[in-house]
Amino acid sequence: MNKIDICLSPDLIHQYDLASTVVVVIDILRASSSITTAIAHGVKAIRPVKSLGECRELQLLDHVGAAERGGKRVGGFDMGNSPFSFMNPDLEDKKIAMTTTNGTVTLHKSRGALQVLIGSFLNYTALLSYIKRLPCDILLHCAGWKGKVNLEDTLFAGAIVHGLKQQFEFDSDVPQMAAILYAQAKNDLKSAIQSSSHVTRLINFGQEKDIDFCLEMDRYKVIPVLKGNYITKLKLSDMLF
Amino acid sequence: MNKIDICLSPDLIHQYDLASTVVVVIDILRASSSITTAIAHGVKAIRPVKSLGECRELQLLDHVGAAERGGKRVGGFDMGNSPFSFMNPDLEDKKIAMTTTNGTVTLHKSRGALQVLIGSFLNYTALLSYIKRLPCDILLHCAGWKGKVNLEDTLFAGAIVHGLKQQFEFDSDVPQMAAILYAQAKNDLKSAIQSSSHVTRLINFGQEKDIDFCLEMDRYKVIPVLKGNYITKLKLSDMLF
């Protein structure tokens, strides 16, 4: 039986053998939700970059620049990290260079995996339908906050474990822990994460509507996938079965 | 208000500023339970060492040697890591050199803290009574398994958070997560950890009675503390208030 595990922080990713594993990157508030939204709304490709400098260079070249640090949009860039800004029809068929506090770091640290997917509540069922048929191990890679474990990413990982039921064997105690936390929270996710550190931070920045949006289940059917330097929409030919 | 946080793995300890913090080292199965048992039964001092080589040298010198790797006693040493072996009256007033897969690593990585305590269900209330009066931040440092997060250490950390109630502010989402997991599990800890990875491992090695013992609440009133190279019993003069 293939295995499923959860890496609760990018600072723990060295513990996992990625080469034979499909990794799902999770940064619910907000990078993975925003990437899902962008791909669903017709953005051609997103290039996740680690530094503001790289993002600026690509913006100067031919990309739209999206930059966030500490929960806020960075001055001098076309946009920040709010999922609503990625719905803009002007972005259709455009390439976006994106850098965020946690999500883009997590994407980079997932390189070397058999395939790197992006998961969020917004594309939960689409993602689940694909990964439950995968003939290999799965690692759910939570972005957390500056290396620290956070609640909302763990809850989403728990939702995936919950959805996969007995089809994968747990490779550590974490899938069980995350599934218990999700079972407790699932009837009212908003209340469950109300006192989480990043929710408090975003509400202080006036971004509560982003939180409501990022907790919406199954708004989109797309699965973003990282191929080379770019995130695009998973196509039939990308599927590993 | 002072803060409480939980470091779920020694691989995450670099994220914390230890200098102004009291750290509680948690390795329920079995190092922190065994250390508590040893100190309660009159062992003079325990020297946690990282390598089998160091442990052997100290055994040759004047220490009793206790060595465990992968859940098993290592050949050539006086004893392993079962709490029952530390009850031996012959150990009274002796010095023990101890090396284990996870617990001793976690102790070493906690160095630099204001004070390093050892916690287990066996000394839960004694530990809680002391730390709830501390005038500083507290970090609960879970040993996990080879850097991976585990259930039983997280549950004990959750028990501490539960016991401290509102006296400390949470410094990340992890205290909330651990407290939820503990609340779910507390009425039957044994069942809750039944399918955890290390419980399965220990049961396969015929060590089920160790698990039952390590889940006993408040068998002892001692608090082991790391001072310099040795763990001894916390005395009135060691108390930070």
Side-chain angles (χ1 to χ4, degrees), chain B residues 150-203:
Chain B
N150 79 10
L151 181 57
E152 62 274 14
D153 295 344
T154 308
L155 286 179
F156 180 74
I160 292 287
V161 171
H162 174 84
L164 290 175
K165 300 266 178 340
Q166 323 267 304
Q167 290 173 276
F168 291 79
E169 195 182 321
F170 294 171
D171 205 24
S172 79
D173 295 348
V174 186
Q176 183 191 349
M177 293 161 65
I180 293 170
L181 290 169
Y182 175 69
Q184 276 264 323
K186 67 179 175 171
N187 291 330
D188 189 354
L189 283 172
K190 179 90 186 278
S191 298
I193 66 166
Q194 198 63 45
S195 59
S196 91
S197 51
H198 197 43
V199 166
T200 309
R201 197 177 293 120
L202 289 175
I203 288 175

Side-chain angles (χ1 to χ4, degrees), chain A residues 5 9 11-12 14-16 147-152 154 173-174 176-177 180-181 184 192 195-197, chain B residues 5 9 11-12 14-16 147-152 154 173-174 176-177 180-181 184 192 195-197:
Chain A
D5 209 344
S9 155
D11 283 8
L12 296 175
H14 59 276
Q15 297 172 354
Y16 301 88
K148 292 204 178 179
V149 175
N150 80 10
L151 180 57
E152 62 274 14
T154 308
D173 295 349
V174 186
Q176 183 191 348
M177 291 161 65
I180 292 170
L181 290 169
Q184 276 263 323
S195 59
S196 91
S197 51
Chain B
D5 209 344
S9 154
D11 283 9
L12 296 175
H14 60 277
Q15 297 172 353
Y16 302 88
K148 293 205 178 177
V149 176
N150 79 10
L151 181 57
E152 62 274 14
T154 308
D173 295 348
V174 186
Q176 183 191 349
M177 293 161 65
I180 293 170
L181 290 169
Q184 276 264 323
S195 59
S196 91
S197 51

Side-chain angles (χ1 to χ4, degrees), chain A residues 59-122:
Chain A
Q59 180 174 293
L60 286 169
L61 215 62
D62 60 348
H63 289 60
V64 176
E68 170 268 351
R69 285 293 181 271
K72 290 182 180 167
R73 173 178 170 177
V74 183
F77 288 91
D78 301 317
M79 53 195 293
N81 190 25
S82 167
F84 293 106
S85 57
F86 291 89
M87 294 174 182
N88 185 344
D90 294 345
L91 294 175
E92 217 169 298
D93 283 324
K94 294 278 197 326
K95 287 185 294 183
I96 296 177
M98 183 186 206
T99 185
T100 72
T101 312
N102 306 293
T104 49
V105 175
T106 312
L107 278 159
H108 278 274
K109 287 196 169 185
S110 303
R111 285 178 185 282
L114 205 56
Q115 193 165 59
V116 180
L117 308 169
I118 287 88
S120 66
F121 288 108
L122 297 168

Side-chain angles (χ1 to χ4, degrees), chain B residues 78-96:
Chain B
D78 300 317
M79 53 195 292
N81 189 25
S82 168
F84 293 106
S85 57
F86 290 89
M87 294 174 184
N88 186 343
D90 294 346
L91 294 175
E92 217 169 299
D93 283 323
K94 293 277 197 327
K95 286 186 295 184
I96 296 177

Side-chain angles (χ1 to χ4, degrees), chain A residues 109-231:
Chain A
K109 287 196 169 185
S110 303
R111 285 178 185 282
L114 205 56
Q115 193 165 59
V116 180
L117 308 169
I118 287 88
S120 66
F121 288 108
L122 297 168
N123 69 339
Y124 173 75
T125 299
L127 178 74
L128 201 66
S129 310
Y130 173 57
I131 64 174
K132 68 167 48 159
R133 294 172 61 193
L134 286 173
C136 59
D137 296 341
I138 294 173
L139 181 66
L140 309 174
H141 189 182
C142 298
W145 179 258
K146 296 183 180 177
K148 292 204 178 179
V149 175
N150 80 10
L151 180 57
E152 62 274 14
D153 296 343
T154 308
L155 285 180
F156 181 74
I160 292 288
V161 171
H162 175 84
L164 290 174
K165 299 269 177 344
Q166 324 266 301
Q167 290 174 276
F168 290 78
E169 196 182 318
F170 295 170
D171 206 21
S172 78
D173 295 349
V174 186
Q176 183 191 348
M177 291 161 65
I180 292 170
L181 290 169
Y182 176 69
Q184 276 263 323
K186 66 178 176 174
N187 292 330
D188 189 355
L189 283 173
K190 179 90 185 279
S191 298
I193 65 165
Q194 198 62 45
S195 59
S196 91
S197 51
H198 197 42
V199 166
T200 309
R201 196 177 294 119
L202 289 175
I203 288 175
N204 285 342
F205 298 161
Q207 288 154 334
E208 189 165 358
K209 71 180 193 346
D210 282 19
I211 301 166
D212 293 331
F213 182 79
C214 293
L215 296 180
E216 264 189 49
M217 205 78 155
D218 293 331
R219 179 181 258 257
Y220 302 121
K221 289 196 161 61
V222 297
I223 306 172
V225 58
L226 179 68
K227 284 164 65 176
N229 287 327
Y230 286 93
I231 296 165

Side-chain angles (χ1 to χ4, degrees), chain B:
Chain B
M1 196 187 270
N2 288 310
K3 292 176 176 168
I4 189 163
D5 209 344
I6 299 172
C7 176
L8 287 172
S9 154
D11 283 9
L12 296 175
I13 196 68
H14 60 277
Q15 297 172 353
Y16 302 88
D17 174 26
L18 300 184
S20 56
T21 303
V22 167
V23 171
V24 179
V25 169
I26 300 167
D27 185 6
I28 296 301
L29 297 173
R30 295 166 288 170
S32 64
S33 303
S34 294
I35 290 168
T36 305
T37 305
I39 296 298
H41 283 263
V43 165
K44 188 178 178 183
I46 298 169
R47 182 164 177 165
V49 294
K50 280 189 269 192
S51 73
L52 293 170
E54 283 172 277
C55 197
R56 193 165 289 120
E57 272 176 41
L58 287 164
Q59 180 174 295
L60 286 170
L61 215 61
D62 59 348
H63 289 61
V64 176
E68 170 268 353
R69 284 294 180 272
K72 289 182 180 168
R73 173 178 170 175
V74 183
F77 288 90
D78 300 317
M79 53 195 292
N81 189 25
S82 168
F84 293 106
S85 57
F86 290 89
M87 294 174 184
N88 186 343
D90 294 346
L91 294 175
E92 217 169 299
D93 283 323
K94 293 277 197 327
K95 286 186 295 184
I96 296 177
M98 182 187 208
T99 185
T100 72
T101 311
N102 306 295
T104 50
V105 176
T106 312
L107 278 159
H108 278 275
K109 287 196 169 186
S110 303
R111 284 178 186 282
L114 206 56
Q115 191 165 62
V116 180
L117 308 169
I118 287 88
S120 67
F121 288 107
L122 298 169
N123 68 340
Y124 174 74
T125 299
L127 178 73
L128 201 65
S129 309
Y130 174 57
I131 64 174
K132 68 164 52 157
R133 294 172 61 194
L134 285 173
C136 60
D137 295 343
I138 294 172
L139 181 67
L140 308 174
H141 189 182
C142 298
W145 180 259
K146 296 182 180 176
K148 293 205 178 177
V149 176
N150 79 10
L151 181 57
E152 62 274 14
D153 295 344
T154 308
L155 286 179
F156 180 74
I160 292 287
V161 171
H162 174 84
L164 290 175
K165 300 266 178 340
Q166 323 267 304
Q167 290 173 276
F168 291 79
E169 195 182 321
F170 294 171
D171 205 24
S172 79
D173 295 348
V174 186
Q176 183 191 349
M177 293 161 65
I180 293 170
L181 290 169
Y182 175 69
Q184 276 264 323
K186 67 179 175 171
N187 291 330
D188 189 354
L189 283 172
K190 179 90 186 278
S191 298
I193 66 166
Q194 198 63 45
S195 59
S196 91
S197 51
H198 197 43
V199 166
T200 309
R201 197 177 293 120
L202 289 175
I203 288 175
N204 286 341
F205 298 161
Q207 288 154 333
E208 190 166 355
K209 69 180 191 352
D210 282 18
I211 301 166
D212 293 330
F213 181 79
C214 293
L215 296 179
E216 266 188 46
M217 206 78 156
D218 293 330
R219 179 181 259 258
Y220 303 120
K221 289 196 162 63
V222 297
I223 306 171
V225 58
L226 179 67
K227 285 164 63 177
N229 287 326
Y230 285 93
I231 296 165
T232 54
K233 192 192 291 192
L234 186 85
K235 297 192 211 81
L236 214 56
S237 56
D238 298 321
M239 296 192 179
L240 298 177
F241 48 75

